[in-house]
Each structure stands twice: as C-alpha cells, then as structure tokens.
Amino acid sequence: MAAGMPSQGIAPVFAALDLGTNNCRLLIARPHRDGFRVIEAFSRIVRLGEGLSASGRLSDAAMARTIDALKICSEKMARRGVAVARAVATEACRRAGNGAEFLHEVKVATGIQLDIISTAEEARLALTGCAPLLEPPHREAIVFDIGGGSTEILWARLPGGGRTEVIDWISLPYGVVNLTERFGPGDRDSGSYERMIDEVSAVLRPFEEKHRLSEKLKSGAVQVLGTSGTVTTLAGVLLGLPRYERRHVDGCWLDFPTVIEQSHKLAEQSVPERAQHPCIGEERADLVVAGCAILESLYRFWPATRLRVADRGVREGVLVELMRQSRHSRGRR
C-alpha cells in the first residue's frame, strides 16, 4: 500500500484512512510547516455496521459496499504516490464476530491493511486531530466524537503551545447507527427521542459524577468541542448553507442552546422532510436524530454556552502521528 520514497527535496505523500461504523473517510496530504496540506479527501457513507447490533456480524451487503469504497481509496492512494499510510477501523470491526475475516477480504481485494484500534486509541487520535481548535484562554476541554457505533468523550488539559493531555475518557456503546436500529429514526411524539436520551444519559452519568465537569464548566475555562457528522450536519443547517462546505463549518462556534433547539425541530420532522435539507440529504436523514439525542444527553450534563465544531478527527490524528514519526525517523538518521 506504500509507493517508493520520493526523490530528495520533495515532501512525501501521507494518507490516513478511517473506517467507521457508518463512514469510510480518506485523507491524503503532504507535510506543510507545522501541519499538513491536504491533496485529496474522500468520504462515503457505507453503513458497515448495519444490522450488527442484532446479528453480531457484518452483513454481506455492508461488506460489499465498504470494499467498493475502499477500492476507490486504494486507487486514489496509488495515483497520488502515497509513501506512508495507515488505515484504521473502529467500532463495527471491533464488535463483529467476522471482523477478522472482513479485514482479510479487504486486504485481498484492495491491498489495504486495516488496523482495528481500541476505543482508547480512537479517542486519543480524535483529540490529536482536533487539537488546533482547542485554544486559550481555556485550560481544559471536553471533546466528544459521536460515531456510528460508539461515542468517545475526552476530558483534556490544555497546557499551552498546542499541546493536549488526556485526563480521562469514556467510550459510550451508542452511535447513530445502533441507536437508530434500536429506537427507529427518532421522533418526539412517540417518545423515542427522549428514550434515546435517557439511555445514553444512564451510561454517561457515572463519568459526570466522578469528575463533576458541570461545575468546572461554570468557570469559563473549559472549552467544549464536538467532532462528528452530527455536529457538522447541525452546523450546516444552522448556518443556512445551500450545500455542505467544510470551510464554513470546521472551527465555527455555535450557540449550544440553539443547537439543541434545532435538534428538537429535526426530531419533529419526518425522514423525508429531513432529507430535503441539502446538509442532511437522504443518506443521513434517518440517522441524524439519534445523533441529536446523544448530543442532547451531553448537553444536559454539560450545558455550555458555546460549542465549537470540528470537521476533523481520527484521520487528521493519524496524519499528525505519521508525520511526527517520519520526522523523528529522519532526525535519527
């Protein structure tokens, strides 16, 4: 999956692939100053974890969809002359009884070697990827990543200089796919929206009781940042974008109570009504309210005034670490 090293003087091309329960995302970039410059990005909703909650296995249809997307990723990496790459898989592959078998099929069909990472590494990579959006005067941060099959939450210290230190973290066994499969596409009239919030809250409560983050929020020194399709979609809706554009969403600040109001509005709409919004579309219309329920559960414990939105996460964290390792290796040589 790696091409030969580039000629001297030309920065090598790196790639990071994040295969989640719902999405397959690829980022190809070159080092640039203290960060990197994106050459190409690819994202496709594959719903790898569809039906996993009931069967405990990845379905043939879901695996076929995902392999089709991974073939595109493999072609893009080859065309761009990627020298260093890492591909990671998260909750769906962690939980599936046939996860190892699927990884073998992927390797044979695409040449991509997927690493199934732990929830701890997933949380750490997401934090690394989002670190540039954690800023003074905040001294601590609550960072959450609402995925397809799980939700990672970190409480981090911000010592300055762009550094982050994980104080504690938790992985909730709820994401937009498995929650939707259990409760349906979500609506307020039937009570399913509230039931989703209650279920997530029950698992989150011990973390809050342990750390009392709601008290720390009152100081104003704690930043709250969300990275996921849920928060980026809600940002696109609230910003009134005629189509989703990352440059308007990544790094934007939203009034958190307004985000919750918009969540309620979506929960009151039918799936076809949600699908009409260009920042939601048919692919996310049945899943977005489950994400809103997870988000509202977080808000009820941690009612911050503002929420910062990140259209970045695990992929960017993988790239940062790959480039850091490459620099250290060159330094030793």
Side-chain angles (χ1 to χ4, degrees), residues 42-69:
F42 171 80
S43 179
R44 176 175 289 184
I45 292 177
V46 294
R47 300 201 181 199
L48 177 60
E50 189 173 64
L52 175 63
S53 297
S55 69
R57 296 176 63 82
L58 303 173
S59 73
D60 290 342
M63 289 190 291
R65 285 194 303 268
T66 304
I67 287 174
D68 284 345

Side-chain angles (χ1 to χ4, degrees), residues 147-166:
S150 65
T151 295
E152 277 63 52
I153 301 163
L154 296 109
W155 175 31
R157 187 177 292 109
L158 310 178
R163 292 174 297 134
T164 58
E165 298 172 359
V166 177

Side-chain angles (χ1 to χ4, degrees), residues 85-98:
R86 188 183 185 202
V88 300
T90 56
E91 186 68 9
C93 291
R94 281 195 294 260
R95 293 180 57 199
N98 57 342

Side-chain angles (χ1 to χ4, degrees), residues 39-291:
I39 299 172
E40 188 166 356
F42 171 80
S43 179
R44 176 175 289 184
I45 292 177
V46 294
R47 300 201 181 199
L48 177 60
E50 189 173 64
L52 175 63
S53 297
S55 69
R57 296 176 63 82
L58 303 173
S59 73
D60 290 342
M63 289 190 291
R65 285 194 303 268
T66 304
I67 287 174
D68 284 345
L70 290 170
K71 285 179 179 177
I72 295 172
C73 294
S74 181
E75 291 164 2
K76 289 181 180 294
M77 287 190 284
R79 190 173 66 250
R80 294 290 187 176
V82 169
V84 185
R86 188 183 185 202
V88 300
T90 56
E91 186 68 9
C93 291
R94 281 195 294 260
R95 293 180 57 199
N98 57 342
E101 176 188 329
F102 171 63
L103 262 59
H104 176 71
E105 289 185 29
V106 168
K107 177 68 174 175
V108 171
T110 71
I112 295 173
Q113 179 67 57
L114 283 163
D115 298 330
I116 300 178
I117 58 174
S118 67
T119 54
E121 185 172 6
E122 183 179 359
R124 178 179 58 75
L125 288 169
L127 179 63
T128 300
C130 292
L133 298 180
L134 300 171
E135 300 176 339
H138 304 103
R139 296 188 296 274
E140 294 176 339
I142 299 170
V143 178
F144 61 86
D145 182 358
I146 301 172
S150 65
T151 295
E152 277 63 52
I153 301 163
L154 296 109
W155 175 31
R157 187 177 292 109
L158 310 178
R163 292 174 297 134
T164 58
E165 298 172 359
V166 177
I167 301 171
D168 201 1
W169 66 280
I170 185 173
S171 180
L172 309 181
Y174 302 109
V176 298
V177 174
N178 57 16
L179 213 52
T180 299
E181 288 180 348
R182 285 193 58 198
F183 292 95
D187 64 84
R188 301 187 76 197
D189 291 340
S190 71
S192 65
Y193 183 71
E194 286 293 332
R195 288 199 299 275
M196 284 191 276
I197 294 172
D198 290 344
E199 182 139 341
V200 175
S201 297
V203 178
L204 185 56
R205 185 169 288 108
F207 190 77
E208 162 58 19
E209 291 174 348
K210 178 181 178 182
H211 296 297
R212 302 292 180 186
L213 297 184
S214 56
E215 292 296 318
K216 296 179 184 295
L217 269 175
K218 295 174 184 177
S219 69
V222 180
Q223 179 178 337
V224 178
L225 180 143
T227 168
S228 69
T230 296
V231 293
T232 57
T233 296
L234 284 165
V237 171
L238 287 169
L239 293 171
L241 300 180
R243 61 184 176 85
Y244 185 84
E245 291 186 77
R246 182 183 185 274
R247 62 192 177 96
H248 293 304
V249 172
D250 184 50
C252 76
W253 288 91
L254 299 177
D255 179 74
F256 210 162
T258 303
V259 173
I260 300 305
E261 289 174 14
Q262 181 60 57
S263 297
H264 293 170
K265 291 176 183 177
L266 292 176
E268 289 164 358
Q269 294 177 355
S270 66
V271 172
E273 286 173 330
R274 296 173 205 156
Q276 290 176 7
H277 196 286
C279 289
I280 299 176
E282 293 183 2
E283 289 187 318
R284 292 189 181 275
D286 60 333
L287 302 176
V288 66
V289 169

Side-chain angles (χ1 to χ4, degrees), residues 1-7 12-13 81-84:
M1 108 180 240
M5 291 303 290
S7 59
V13 179
V82 169
V84 185

